[in-house]
Structures are given as structure tokens and as C-alpha cells.
Amino acid sequence: MTKKDFFRIVIKIFGLYALLLSVLTYLPSSLSFILPDIGATEILLIAGILVLILLLYVFLIRKTDMIINLLQLDKGYDDDTIVLGNFDSLKIVKFALIIIGGMMLLDYVPDFLRYSFLAFKSEVSANGLDEFERMSYGSSIDYFNWALSGVNIVIGYLMLSNYSKIGKWLTRDDKTLGNNA
């Protein structure tokens, strides 16, 4: 694998990840603020932002060589190739499981702590949450998202602690599947 191929893969993965994150997370949360007072200006704003997001990520996914050449990412290295050594499919899957499990923990621990704080504050406080806290954290305790973040933390921890077993299970031979079927 050459350095240019490596940077192509990294930029495309980042583009796809950022596109999914934008369309599935940031756009719906932004729409929830705009929808109560929707008008022609808001519709044009939503359409413009959506087009801008799509153009940015199409540029990241389709024009990776131009980005690599513009930023000179493949220049200045002693060797043009990347030697992965003895990285087989099992080691790559294990590495991906560690990354995914770590990302799940990093994504959901802050949400879980926030929902825990709100539940604790609501139970301890005689008046519940004050006006500033309602504006900052939300008006009520969201038990669904609190439980969802807790489940994702558990799944992320299990992925990190059992990545070897999960990796072996994911890369098992098709011969063993034929015997069980």
C-alpha cells in the first residue's frame, strides 16, 4: 500500500463518517430548534445547509487526490510504501473492535453522566431544576436516552474487554458454519 492510497482511505472514511454524523445527528437536532417557527426563510436555510453539507462531503469523497496533492500529504517520506507487516484479517478486526468500542465509550459516557446528573438533581432538589438548568440541560429527564447511553457504554466496554473473542468469532471459517447449519 502506498502513502497516497493510505491517505485516500483515511480521507474517504472521514468523509463518510462525517456525512453520516451530520445527516443523522446534527441536522435532526438543528431541525428541532427551527421547526416550531418554520417559514420560507427557515426552509431555504435548511435546504442551503443541507446542500452545503452534501457538497463538502462529496468533495471529500470524490476529490481525494486533489486534497492529497493540495496538502502534499504524500510528500516528505523516505519510502513510498506502507508495510503492514503480519497484519492478517484477525488483527485488523481486533483493531477495529478496539476503535469502535473506544468511540462508543467516548460518545456515550458524557450523555450518561449528564442524564445521571439531571436525575440526581431532580430527586434531591425540592423544586426540581431551575430555569437556567432547564434551558441548558433540557426540561425533563429523558429516561429513554439515559438507558440508551447506558446500554451503549456496556456494549462499548464489552467490545473493549472481549475484543479477542469477538474478533475470532467474526473471522471464523465458513466450514464451521456449514457444519452447524
Side-chain angles (χ1 to χ4, degrees):
M1 174 187 300
T2 65
K3 304 277 193 241
K4 196 166 195 167
D5 292 336
F6 173 74
F7 286 118
R8 275 188 201 123
I9 291 170
V10 169
I11 291 172
K12 287 183 180 193
I13 288 173
F14 172 74
L16 287 172
Y17 174 73
L19 177 65
L20 290 174
L21 194 64
S22 296
V23 171
L24 298 177
T25 303
Y26 300 131
L27 190 62
S29 65
S30 299
L31 285 176
S32 67
F33 291 116
I34 295 175
L35 284 180
D37 297 324
I38 195 144
T41 306
E42 287 80 13
I43 292 174
L44 290 174
L45 179 67
I46 292 169
I49 291 171
L50 189 59
V51 167
L52 184 66
I53 288 172
L54 290 175
L55 287 176
L56 177 66
Y57 298 118
V58 165
F59 179 73
L60 281 174
I61 294 168
R62 299 266 183 183
K63 302 294 183 183
T64 54
D65 287 334
M66 190 169 84
I67 294 169
I68 292 170
N69 292 335
L70 179 69
L71 298 176
Q72 298 179 355
L73 294 175
D74 59 341
K75 306 292 188 239
Y77 295 102
D78 294 336
D79 191 12
D80 189 39
T81 61
I82 296 175
V83 178
L84 295 177
N86 57 357
F87 254 69
D88 58 347
S89 62
L90 178 62
K91 289 182 181 177
I92 291 172
V93 168
K94 286 180 181 180
F95 181 69
L97 286 169
I98 291 170
I99 296 294
I100 292 169
M103 291 295 289
M104 287 180 76
L105 284 176
L106 289 174
D107 283 344
Y108 289 102
V109 165
D111 286 342
F112 184 79
L113 292 175
R114 180 175 52 128
Y115 293 127
S116 299
F117 167 75
L118 289 175
F120 177 75
K121 179 77 173 179
S122 178
E123 289 295 320
V124 171
S125 173
N127 299 330
L129 301 174
D130 63 9
E131 187 63 32
F132 175 73
E133 289 170 332
R134 275 190 225 113
M135 288 179 5
S136 299
Y137 301 113
S139 60
S140 64
I141 303 167
D142 190 358
Y143 291 107
F144 176 76
N145 284 327
W146 190 16
L148 185 66
S149 62
V151 167
N152 281 314
I153 288 172
V154 170
I155 291 171
Y157 172 75
L158 290 174
M159 286 176 76
L160 283 175
S161 62
N162 298 312
Y163 69 90
S164 183
K165 292 177 187 174
I166 297 170
K168 288 177 184 174
W169 181 75
L170 288 174
T171 58
R172 67 188 184 274
D173 291 334
D174 289 336
K175 295 174 191 172
T176 60
L177 293 175
N179 295 338
N180 294 335

